[in-house]
Amino acid sequence: MCRHLAWLGEPRTLASLVLEPSHGLLRQSYAPRRQSRGLLNADGWGVGFFADGRPEPVRWRSARPLWGDASFVSVAPVLASGAVLAAVRSATEGMPMDESAAAPFTDGQWLLSHNGRVDRSVLPARGDAESVCDSAVLAAHVFAAGVGALAPTVCEVARLDPAASLNLLLTDGSRILAVTWGDPLSYLEDADGVVVASEPWDDDPRWVDVPDRHLLEVTPDGVTRTALEG
Ligand code: GLN
């Protein structure tokens, strides 16, 4: 399973979000602490973020492991944003290994990352998916259904594929939406903002674990969580 995180709050450098936390995504790419399937997340990685004056997000994605991306390490200390989504990938068997299969995916407005797997045959075929990777097809399905319908869309996909694992993170720059379905998420709220992550990036006791089958919404007003119907 992949590992991912989203940040909403005061602008922070990508280095401080992705590379510097002691148990952050960089560490999780080779030594995750709470990962139930897979030992490494070395099959590519990606980060998307919103920049001032641009409504649509920008992305940096790679098919290489995060720890080998020396150019990103060089620029990450000077790239800052108040809305960021990043993921390190452990590819599901049979899925493509190129950069286009690395999250985050986008429809031009939203960024989406999926930790898990889903049977693509239960999803409508979509020519606008960024990759044939199950996560990209799922992203295209969520975008087509409308992000406002995220909860019923997830419940319907889970009904069609009961073995699916559907841990999702989305942001449009003004809020984060997150779903736990088969894999956990945790969040940490402080004066500067909120980070939602597959696993805590440090041992701060303020991290809160989100129960399974929940929708989390993070806005500048705070965090709300709602149980999803099975
Ligand atoms: N199924 C997705 C992929 O192959 C995500 C895998 C994961 O969560 N480890 O990339």
Side-chain angles (χ1 to χ4, degrees), residues 37 47 70 92 95 107 109 117 124 134 145 182 186 191 198 204-205 229:
R37 286 159 295 211
V47 59
T92 298
M95 295 301 149
D107 65 348
Q109 180 189 359
R117 59 195 308 166
D134 59 347
S186 305
S198 296
D204 192 316
E229 295 305 318

Side-chain angles (χ1 to χ4, degrees), residues 72-122:
F72 177 72
V73 172
S74 162
V75 301
V78 300
L79 295 175
S81 172
V84 179
L85 201 165
V88 292
R89 179 174 182 226
S90 170
T92 298
E93 201 183 331
M95 295 301 149
M97 299 297 288
D98 62 295
E99 176 186 318
S100 69
F105 306 102
T106 188
D107 65 348
Q109 180 189 359
W110 287 87
L111 296 167
L112 183 153
S113 169
H114 168 228
N115 164 19
R117 59 195 308 166
V118 61
D119 178 354
R120 288 169 291 182
S121 70
V122 308

Side-chain angles (χ1 to χ4, degrees), residues 18-19 21-33 41 66:
V18 173
L19 302 174
S22 55
H23 285 278
L25 277 189
L26 175 58
R27 180 76 174 256
Q28 290 167 31
S29 67
Y30 58 86
R33 294 197 288 186
N41 296 290
L66 174 54

